Amino acid sequence: REILYDPAPGSDEGLIRQAVLGPAMGLLLQQHGRFPLHASAVDIEGRGTALAGHSGSGKSTLAAALHSNGHELITDDIAAIDHETDPPLVFPGFPRFRMWPESVKNFGESTETLPRLHSGTEKRLVALKRGFAESPVPVKRVYVIDDGPSESIDPVPPQEGLLVLLRLC
């Protein structure tokens, strides 16, 4: 029910926050029966759309683009999915995006006023003032962002879907 930590004096608070909200939170979610998917998720007409992928694949940038077109953010970076409900539900995370400076600038923001994720990265925290889901949303689609020979959207057979998602964990 809680994550306790005792940082060494002078520790980088951003690195601690990233460790707690990343791997530690993923383990805690698993202990509580949630599937922690490395994904951002948005609410599109009452249906959760998860954007999964490895770090740097563009999950947050695509979610921010959908958000700027009126869709509520459900979560960014880790999607806590309850797969034991019918339909599965994705739970709200924090009302913020984690974005690289290039993406921040593309959305008309200045990186100068935004805090860094931690001292070892240029990635910024972009807090949301509006457009954030406050309750769980049924998961309708999961898109995996990956490198390929061309731009395409290719369906994955259900028997392969879990294996594709587990490669992201």
Side-chain angles (χ1 to χ4, degrees):
R1 294 188 335 207
E2 62 185 343
I3 298 171
L4 302 174
Y5 64 96
D6 183 19
S11 296
D12 182 330
E13 287 184 37
L15 282 173
I16 294 169
R17 182 175 45 250
Q18 185 169 335
V20 169
L21 296 179
M25 182 63 76
L27 288 171
L28 188 65
L29 289 169
Q30 282 182 339
Q31 289 175 351
H32 288 271
R34 304 285 192 264
F35 180 68
L37 181 61
H38 191 200
S40 296
V42 293
D43 182 336
I44 299 178
E45 298 177 357
R47 293 179 233 151
T49 299
L51 308 165
H54 293 289
S55 295
S57 64
K59 301 177 299 295
S60 298
T61 302
L62 184 52
L66 291 166
H67 180 265
S68 69
N69 281 297
H71 301 289
E72 287 188 332
L73 175 70
I74 302 169
T75 189
D76 184 46
D77 196 45
I78 295 180
I81 298 177
D82 184 345
H83 55 84
E84 294 181 5
T85 60
D86 187 22
L89 298 172
V90 59
F91 285 79
F94 299 99
R96 51 100 174 120
F97 287 106
R98 298 161 29 127
M99 298 175 72
W100 292 105
E102 303 81 36
S103 294
V104 170
K105 290 175 189 171
N106 286 334
F107 289 101
E109 297 274 345
S110 169
T111 58
E112 302 303 317
T113 59
L114 298 173
R116 289 182 185 195
L117 193 58
H118 58 80
S119 64
T121 186
E122 289 297 318
K123 204 173 232 189
R124 307 299 172 138
L125 290 171
V126 181
L128 294 181
K129 298 175 183 81
R130 58 165 184 77
F132 184 71
E134 295 183 12
S135 57
V137 179
V139 178
K140 181 63 175 174
R141 298 267 190 262
V142 177
Y143 293 94
V144 177
I145 303 169
D146 204 356
D147 290 331
S150 64
E151 296 173 1
S152 65
I153 298 177
D154 303 315
V156 175
Q159 62 272 22
E160 293 177 30
L162 181 60
L163 296 175
V164 170
L165 296 178
L166 288 174
R167 283 196 322 239
L168 301 173
C169 295

